[in-house]
Amino acid sequence: MKSSSLSLLLAAGLTFSLPLMAQNSAPQEGVNVGKMSIMRKIVPSGALEGQAAQQYTTTMQTAQQKRELAPDNHPQVIRLRAIAKKMIPFALPWNPRAKEWKWEVNLIASPQINAYCMPGGKIAFYTGILDTLKLTDDEVAIIMGHEIAHALREHGAERAGKSMAMNSAAKLLGLFAESKGYDGNMVAGIAGTAGNVAMLKFSREDETEGDIVGMDLAARSGYDPRAGVTLWQKMGVVNQKAPPKWLSTHPAGEDRIKEIRKHFPEVMPLYARAKGANLASLPPYRSNVKGIPDVN
């Protein structure tokens, strides 16, 4: 689930102090990730959503021309849209703009292990992620919730805002260095490189936030949030040659699982209520792949 697959989203950050996150505004129940970053306000969300809609349309048209766009009556399309239909109502309270979005869910025939939700609620899954990971409905919901969370939390606009701020700061630092007799271009370049390292951290933070909010959405919709553990265990098997953690835009799988487990106390009651079950009587979550242990 790579949010970076959406090419129009700019990912960057600053190594020095910026008002990135407002104080927490705790919900009455479920997870608490605080208010959205004020950096997203630098780039108008409406403009980003318009660009995303155009890119999504182009992607779907290209897939259709290549006969890679699954038809409406495809079993997996029906499955994905049914899951989305359950989740979207619980997504709306997270962002007032989401009520205006023209949500779409499509499936592209491709071996890529990927899925995304563009700004404006444009969702796409690739057959590779469904088939390779043998996803259960609960695991699909975890992925879909994660990708929807990126759109709801406006991570694209946030990253674009950070990128603009970083570039402006690097230029100003270069000008200041020139005024002191140093090589302004070199200093600006060093600042830019530092910013590129920082943007990986910001991206990992977005991914963690996506996991947490996604679990909340899945649980409220009646999908077991414990599937997040089995999902990343499956991903670990597939992705044996992962890059070092500090160079990755995603948290390492083990760290991701620890973070997911940490939020079980917040999301499991939501799931139990959605299922009309007693929390204490819920059975362990069982994977559909041999060798992956049950999750309590």
Side-chain angles (χ1 to χ4, degrees):
M1 295 51 58
K2 298 180 180 179
S3 60
S4 58
S5 65
L6 179 53
S7 60
L8 61 89
L9 299 185
L10 303 177
L14 295 173
T15 56
F16 40 86
S17 178
L18 277 174
L20 298 182
M21 189 68 74
Q23 292 297 314
N24 285 351
S25 177
Q28 293 181 349
E29 59 179 357
V31 304
N32 175 19
V33 291
K35 295 182 178 180
M36 290 187 283
S37 169
I38 63 172
M39 297 301 289
R40 78 190 198 284
K41 293 183 178 294
I42 296 176
V43 179
S45 295
L48 200 61
E49 289 163 14
Q51 293 175 25
Q54 291 177 9
Q55 182 175 338
Y56 187 82
T57 297
T58 299
T59 300
M60 296 307 130
Q61 288 175 344
T62 300
Q64 189 170 35
Q65 291 170 0
K66 295 181 178 180
R67 297 184 179 180
E68 295 175 348
L69 182 64
D72 294 340
N73 63 354
H74 190 288
Q76 291 283 34
V77 173
I78 295 172
R79 177 194 185 201
L80 290 171
R81 291 177 179 173
I83 294 172
K85 186 177 181 180
K86 290 183 180 180
M87 299 188 73
I88 289 171
F90 296 103
L92 304 184
W94 283 90
N95 189 324
R97 298 184 57 81
K99 297 177 182 179
E100 305 170 5
W101 292 351
K102 295 181 180 179
W103 294 82
E104 293 185 54
V105 183
N106 283 293
L107 175 65
I108 297 175
S110 167
Q112 292 185 53
I113 300 177
N114 198 16
Y116 58 79
C117 179
M118 290 181 169
K122 306 300 185 183
I123 300 170
F125 270 69
Y126 291 76
T127 54
I129 196 169
L130 298 173
D131 298 338
T132 304
L133 299 180
K134 298 180 175 62
L135 296 180
T136 64
D137 285 357
D138 296 296
E139 290 166 345
V140 169
I142 292 294
I143 294 171
M144 189 177 292
H146 171 97
E147 298 303 333
I148 288 174
H150 282 311
L152 294 173
R153 300 293 288 177
E154 298 183 17
H155 287 157
E158 176 186 347
R159 293 179 189 182
K162 290 174 181 177
S163 177
M164 293 174 65
M166 183 193 72
N167 290 337
S168 296
K171 290 178 181 178
L172 288 173
L173 191 59
L175 291 173
F176 177 77
E178 284 186 356
S179 70
K180 298 297 182 180
Y182 296 99
D183 186 335
N185 291 331
M186 182 183 69
V187 172
I190 293 173
T193 299
N196 288 333
V197 173
M199 81 179 180
L200 298 179
K201 179 176 184 294
F202 288 129
S203 183
R204 288 195 294 270
E205 289 173 351
D206 289 347
E207 292 298 322
T208 297
E209 188 173 284
D211 283 345
I212 296 169
V213 175
M215 279 199 303
D216 186 287
L217 296 176
R220 292 176 190 273
S221 307
Y223 295 103
D224 198 325
R226 294 174 295 182
V229 173
T230 60
L231 169 65
W232 282 101
Q233 288 174 333
K234 288 180 179 181
M235 285 291 292
V237 174
V238 173
N239 193 26
Q240 293 290 343
K241 296 182 180 180
K245 177 181 173 181
W246 62 278
L247 285 179
S248 174
T249 58
H250 289 63
E254 292 183 3
D255 290 345
R256 204 159 192 163
I257 289 173
K258 288 179 183 178
E259 187 69 24
I260 286 171
R261 285 186 176 277
K262 188 172 75 174
H263 292 278
F264 280 174
E266 297 163 300
V267 296
M268 287 304 294
L270 302 177
Y271 170 63
R273 187 176 67 192
K275 300 296 287 185
N278 183 285
L279 179 61
S281 66
L282 288 174
Y285 184 76
R286 180 165 295 177
S287 173
N288 61 344
V289 173
K290 187 177 180 180
I292 293 180
D294 295 349
V295 184
N296 293 304

